[in-house]
């Protein structure tokens, strides 16, 4: 039996990610089903939902915009 070839890395627009996050938040389908429907990994969809909670401050973690590598050492 041969091994599966790794899936090529894809990139997604912020609008597409926001649509997936919204579908997950609605709750009419589970995250796994949404990922399957859009040919995504569950991990990717879960990470997008988590990041969407962090960025507007719904989670108590730093946002991506809060600290850039250069700002850490220059301020």
């Amino acid at each position: 039996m041969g091994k599966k070839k790794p899936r090529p890395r894809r990139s997604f627009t912020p609008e597409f990610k926001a649509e997936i996050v919204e579908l997950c938040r609605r709750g009419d389908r589970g995250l796994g089903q949404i990922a399957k429907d859009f040919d995504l990994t569950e991990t990717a969809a879960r990470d997008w939902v988590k990041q969407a909670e962090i960025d507007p401050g719904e989670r108590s973690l730093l946002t991506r915009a809060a600290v850039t590598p250069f700002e850490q050492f220059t301020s």
Side-chain angles (χ1 to χ4, degrees):
M1 284 188 181
K3 290 185 179 180
K4 278 186 172 180
K5 289 186 178 183
R7 178 186 280 197
R9 188 165 185 93
R10 301 179 290 169
S11 60
F12 301 96
T13 65
E15 294 80 13
F16 179 79
K17 292 178 183 180
E19 178 182 350
I20 298 300
V21 168
E22 181 57 35
L23 288 171
C24 291
R25 286 181 172 176
R26 267 194 230 150
D28 19 333
R29 291 183 283 176
L31 185 136
Q33 185 61 49
I34 292 167
K36 185 177 179 181
D37 291 347
F38 287 89
D39 191 30
L40 302 168
T41 64
E42 287 186 41
T43 303
R46 191 176 303 110
D47 287 348
W48 297 345
V49 170
K50 187 188 317 180
Q51 192 61 48
E53 293 170 352
I54 292 169
D55 285 342
E58 293 175 25
R59 285 188 172 215
S60 60
L61 300 173
L62 289 176
T63 64
R64 286 183 179 173
V67 179
T68 67
F70 293 110
E71 289 175 335
Q72 289 180 19
F73 302 106
T74 58
S75 50

